[in-house]
C-alpha cells in the first residue's frame, strides 16, 4: 500500500476575533482626519444648496430619477450623456491604480468605505466597552448585567449610525430636507424605506460584525492589487535586518555585553494589537494588511519608550528590503513608467470631459426619414418626403424654435402636427416630436436622392442644432 498522508487537524484555520487596540501617532491622526472629512461629505452633501434658476432643483448634488437627470453643482447630466459616468469610472480606476503604484493598498487603509465605517464602529466600541484588554477580559467573564447593558448600548449606537447611513443615501435622490421630514413622519415613498433598510442592514453587518473579513475574504481588490504592484511601491514593512533577533530589553543588554547581536524588536506584539485585521507585519506582506500604518505608530511609541530609533516598521519598498539584506543604502523611485502613465490617462480623460462639458449645446435635433413610402408624388408633379423630427430642449424654460431645411433648391418645409409653418414651442427639459413634410415643387424635383440638412434655431438665433438626412425623388 502506498504511503498516505493522514490529516488529523482542521483543513482551515479557525477564525479568531480581532480586538484592535487604540493608538496615536502620525498615521492615526491622518486616518481620523480623513474619516471626519469623508463622513462629513457623505452625510452633509445632500443638504448643500445650489441656485440653478427657476424650474430647476436647488440641491447641489441630486440624482433626479423621475426627471432622469443628475445634478452636481453647476453640472447637469442627461441620460444621453452616460459617457460622462464612463469617464468618471475610468478616472476612478486610474486613480486607484496610481495609489497602488505609489503605496500599495493605501486606498484600503485610509479611504475605502469599509475602512471608514469600521473605524467609526471601532471608536464607538471603545467608547462604550473600553480598549482592547478591557474588551478581552469582559468577553472572558461572560454575561453580567453590566455586560448586557454595554453590548445593548453599543449595538443600538451601531444601528443608529447604520440607519443614518442608509437615510443619507436616499437623500441624494430627492430634495433632502423634504424627504428627511417625510421619512420621520411616515410620508416617504415605500422604496425609500426599503433602501434605508438595506443600507442599515449592510452597514451594521459589514462594519460591525464582518469587519476584517470583508477586507480579507470578500473584497477582490487585494487579489487584483497584488498582481499589479511592483517592487518600487511603498508598503508597510518590517526592517528585519535591524529587528532580528527579537528579545526583551534586558536580554538585549546582556547580549550586547557578550558582544552578540540583538535586534531592536522586543516582541511586544503592539504592532499586532493595533492592526484592524490582526496581521503580524513582521511575517512580511500579507493579504490582510490594508497599509493603514497603525502598526508604524504603535512601534514608534515603543521604540521611543525604550530609547531606540523609530521606523522599525515603516513604509518601504521590496527593493530596499533586499538592499538592506545586502548592506546597501535604500533608494526610492517614485517617478517611473506607471506613475507617469496613470496621471496622463487621468488628465486626458478629465480634459476631454471638461472640453465636452464646456462646449456642449442645450438644443439638439434628431431626424428620422419615413420608410414606407420614401416619397409621395403629388397631383401637380411635386414630390413630398415625410420625416419625424425630435427637438430636445435642455433649458429650464419654454423655447420657440424654427425648423428649416437646406439642400436641393426650392425645398419647402411644413410642420404637420403643429400649427403649420415652421415654428414650434418646446417645453422646459423636454423632447418635442414633430411630423414634418418637405416638398420639392414640380420642376425642382432632383433627379436622384440628395443630401439635405435640417436646422433648428431658437427664437434668439444664438443657438442652432443641425442634422443631415436625404431627400428622395421617388
Amino acid at each position: 500500500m502506498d504511503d498516505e498522508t493522514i490529516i488529523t487537524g482542521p483543513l482551515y484555520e479557525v477564525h479568531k476575533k480581532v480586538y484592535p487596540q487604540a493608538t496615536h501617532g502620525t498615521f492615526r491622526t491622518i486616518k481620523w482626519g480623513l474619516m471626519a472629512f469623508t463622513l462629513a461629505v457623505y452625510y452633509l452633501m445632500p443638504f448643500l444648496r445650489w441656485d440653478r434658476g427657476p424650474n430647476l432643483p436647488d440641491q447641489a448634488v441630486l440624482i433626479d430619477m423621475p426627471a432622469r437627470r443628475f445634478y452636481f453643482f453647476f453640472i447637469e447630466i442627461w441620460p444621453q450623456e452616460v459617457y460622462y459616468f464612463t469617464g468618471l469610472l475610468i478616472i476612478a480606476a486610474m486613480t486607484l491604480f496610481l495609489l497602488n503604484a505609489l503605496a500599495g493598498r493605501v486606498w484600503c487603509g485610509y479611504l475605502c468605505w469599509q475602512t471608514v465605517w469600521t473605524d467609526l464602529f471601532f471608536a464607538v466600541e471603545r467608547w462604550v466597552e473600553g480598549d482592547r484588554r478591557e474588551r478581552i477580559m469582559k468577553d472572558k467573564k461572560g454575561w453580567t448585567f453590566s455586560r448586557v447593558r454595554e453590548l445593548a448600548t453599543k449595538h443600538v449606537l451601531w444601528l443608529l449610525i447604520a440607519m443614518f447611513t442608509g437615510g443619507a443615501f436616499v437623500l441624494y435622490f430627492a430634495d433632502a430636507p423634504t424627504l428627511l421630514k417625510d421619512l420621520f413622519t411616515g410620508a416617504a415613498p415605500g422604496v425609500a424605506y426599503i433602501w434605508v433598510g438595506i443600507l442599515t442592514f449592510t452597514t451594521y453587518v459589514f462594519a460591525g460584525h464582518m469587519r476584517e473579513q470583508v477586507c480579507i475574504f470578500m473584497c477582490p481588490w487585494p487579489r487584483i492589487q497584488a498582481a499589479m504592484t511592483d517592487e518600487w511601491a511603498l508598503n508597510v514593512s518590517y526592517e528585519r535586518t535591524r529587528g532580528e533577533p527579537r528579545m526583551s530589553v534586558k536580554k538585549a543588554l546582556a547580549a550586547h555585553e557578550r558582544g552578540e547581536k540583538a535586534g531592536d524588536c522586543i516582541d511586544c506584539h503592539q504592532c499586532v494589537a493595533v492592526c484592524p485585521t490582526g496581521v503580524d507585519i513582521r511575517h512580511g506582506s500579507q493579504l490582510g494588511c490594508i497599509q493603514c500604518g497603525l502598526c508604524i505608530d504603535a512601534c514608534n511609541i515603543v521604540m521611543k519608550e525604550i530609547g531606540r530609533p523609530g521606523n522599525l516598521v515603516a513604509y518601504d519598498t521590496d527593493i530596499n528590503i533586499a538592499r538592506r539584506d545586502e548592506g546597501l543604502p535604500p533608494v526610492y523611485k517614485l517617478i517611473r513608467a506607471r506613475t507617469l502613465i496613470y496621471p496622463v490617462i487621468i488628465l486626458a480623460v478629465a480634459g476631454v470631459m471638461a472640453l465636452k462639458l464646456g462646449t456642449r449645446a442645450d438644443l439638439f435635433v434628431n431626424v428620422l426619414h419615413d420608410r414606407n413610402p420614401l416619397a409621395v408624388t403629388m397631383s401637380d408633379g411635386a414630390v413630398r418626403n415625410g420625416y419625424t423630427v425630435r427637438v430636445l430642449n435642455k433649458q429650464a424654460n419654454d423655447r420657440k424654435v424654427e425648423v428649416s431645411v437646406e439642400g436641393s433648391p426650392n425645398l419647402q418645409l411644413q410642420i404637420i402636427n403643429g400649427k403649420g409653418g415652421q415654428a414650434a414651442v418646446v417645453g422646459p427639459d423636454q423632447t418635442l416630436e414633430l411630423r414634418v413634410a418637405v416638398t420639392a415643387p414640380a420642376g425642382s424635383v432632383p433627379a436622384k436622392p440628395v443630401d439635405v440638412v435640417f436646422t433648428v434655431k431658437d427664437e434668439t438665433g444664438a443657438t442652432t442644432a443641425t442634422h443631415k438626412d436625404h431627400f428622395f425623388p421617388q
Side-chain angles (χ1 to χ4, degrees), residues 186-266:
V191 68
Y193 291 106
I194 291 173
W195 277 105
V196 170
I198 291 173
L199 268 294
T200 298
F201 174 78
T202 53
T203 304
Y204 174 72
V205 171
F206 289 160
H209 295 277
M210 299 189 69
R211 296 179 172 179
E212 75 283 350
Q213 298 176 54
V214 174
C215 303
I216 298 174
F217 302 111
M218 293 179 62
C219 181
W221 178 235
R223 283 86 179 165
I224 300 172
Q225 178 269 339
M228 294 183 62
T229 192
D230 64 7
E231 66 275 14
W232 292 105
L234 290 167
N235 290 289
V236 175
S237 307
Y238 167 65
E239 193 174 333
R240 183 173 300 276
T241 54
R242 176 187 150 195
E244 301 295 329
R246 310 171 199 167
M247 59 186 71
S248 67
V249 177
K250 290 183 179 179
K251 289 182 178 180
L253 290 174
H256 285 306
E257 290 176 356
R258 295 192 302 268
E260 299 174 357
K261 178 175 172 24
D264 282 348
C265 179
I266 61 173

Side-chain angles (χ1 to χ4, degrees), residues 14 82 182 228 316 339 343-344:
V14 178
V82 68
D182 291 343
M228 294 183 62
D316 208 348
T339 60
V344 168

Side-chain angles (χ1 to χ4, degrees), residues 288-309:
C289 179
I290 61 173
Q291 308 293 327
C292 64
L294 295 182
C295 55
I296 301 176
D297 287 337
C299 186
N300 283 342
I301 291 173
V302 174
M303 291 296 105
K304 184 177 180 180
E305 289 177 352
I306 63 177
R308 295 178 183 175

Side-chain angles (χ1 to χ4, degrees), residues 55-57 62-71 76-80 173 392-393 428-431:
N55 304 320
L56 287 175
L62 176 65
I63 304 171
D64 192 347
M65 299 298 286
R68 299 176 184 176
R69 303 286 186 278
F70 171 65
Y71 299 98
E76 178 183 351
I77 304 297
W78 283 54
Q80 299 92 331
F173 293 84
L392 174 61
N393 172 26
D429 280 345
Q430 292 182 15
T431 299

Side-chain angles (χ1 to χ4, degrees), residues 37 40 50 90 92 115 122 151 154 158 162 205 214 417 427 448 467:
F37 173 74
W50 188 269
I90 294 173
T115 296
F122 278 149
L151 290 175
K154 178 183 74 173
W158 279 1
V205 171
V214 174
N417 62 335
K448 59 182 180 179
H467 192 281

Side-chain angles (χ1 to χ4, degrees), residues 145-465:
F145 176 77
S146 175
R147 183 62 175 154
V148 171
R149 182 184 60 191
E150 284 184 348
L151 290 175
T153 302
K154 178 183 74 173
H155 287 282
V156 167
L157 292 175
W158 279 1
L159 283 169
L160 285 174
I161 294 172
M163 186 176 65
F164 283 125
T165 301
F169 177 77
V170 300
L171 296 182
Y172 285 91
F173 293 84
D175 182 66
T178 304
L179 181 56
L180 184 62
K181 178 182 176 182
D182 291 343
L183 285 171
F184 280 104
T185 58
V191 68
Y193 291 106
I194 291 173
W195 277 105
V196 170
I198 291 173
L199 268 294
T200 298
F201 174 78
T202 53
T203 304
Y204 174 72
V205 171
F206 289 160
H209 295 277
M210 299 189 69
R211 296 179 172 179
E212 75 283 350
Q213 298 176 54
V214 174
C215 303
I216 298 174
F217 302 111
M218 293 179 62
C219 181
W221 178 235
R223 283 86 179 165
I224 300 172
Q225 178 269 339
M228 294 183 62
T229 192
D230 64 7
E231 66 275 14
W232 292 105
L234 290 167
N235 290 289
V236 175
S237 307
Y238 167 65
E239 193 174 333
R240 183 173 300 276
T241 54
R242 176 187 150 195
E244 301 295 329
R246 310 171 199 167
M247 59 186 71
S248 67
V249 177
K250 290 183 179 179
K251 289 182 178 180
L253 290 174
H256 285 306
E257 290 176 356
R258 295 192 302 268
E260 299 174 357
K261 178 175 172 24
D264 282 348
C265 179
I266 61 173
D267 210 18
C268 64
H269 288 272
Q270 285 300 294
C271 56
V272 184
V274 301
C275 180
T277 59
V279 164
D280 189 342
I281 195 60
R282 297 171 299 175
H283 295 163
S285 297
Q286 297 160 67
L287 188 68
C289 179
I290 61 173
Q291 308 293 327
C292 64
L294 295 182
C295 55
I296 301 176
D297 287 337
C299 186
N300 283 342
I301 291 173
V302 174
M303 291 296 105
K304 184 177 180 180
E305 289 177 352
I306 63 177
R308 295 178 183 175
N311 291 333
L312 177 60
V313 179
Y315 280 99
D316 208 348
T317 67
D318 291 344
I319 290 287
N320 286 335
I321 293 174
R323 287 176 64 87
R324 287 193 181 92
D325 290 340
E326 299 172 4
L328 299 174
V331 293
Y332 298 94
K333 191 177 179 181
L334 295 179
I335 306 300
R336 53 194 191 276
R338 65 180 64 200
T339 60
L340 291 176
I341 292 173
Y342 295 145
V344 168
I345 296 175
I346 292 170
L347 291 175
V349 174
V352 171
M353 291 173 62
L355 179 63
K356 185 67 176 177
L357 280 170
T359 58
R360 67 176 180 173
D362 56 14
L363 184 65
F364 292 85
V365 61
N366 184 61
V367 179
L368 181 65
H369 196 290
D370 289 351
R371 297 301 178 191
N372 188 21
L374 289 175
V376 176
T377 302
M378 313 298 289
S379 59
D380 60 355
V383 175
R384 173 180 291 178
N385 284 200
Y387 303 85
T388 300
V389 177
R390 292 186 178 90
V391 182
L392 174 61
N393 172 26
K394 288 191 173 183
Q395 289 189 1
N397 51 273
D398 292 336
R399 298 173 79 177
K400 184 177 180 181
V401 297
E402 182 178 315
V403 185
S404 60
V405 64
E406 296 178 358
S408 184
N410 301 324
L411 289 179
Q412 300 170 359
L413 181 145
Q414 182 182 14
I415 298 176
I416 300 174
N417 62 335
K419 296 182 179 180
Q422 298 176 255
V425 177
V426 189
D429 280 345
Q430 292 182 15
T431 299
L432 178 64
E433 185 173 292
L434 301 172
R435 289 288 299 137
V436 171
V438 175
T439 305
S444 299
V445 178
K448 59 182 180 179
V450 295
D451 293 337
V452 293
V453 176
F454 289 83
T455 301
V456 176
K457 182 182 298 184
D458 69 359
E459 56 190 344
T460 66
T463 305
T464 60

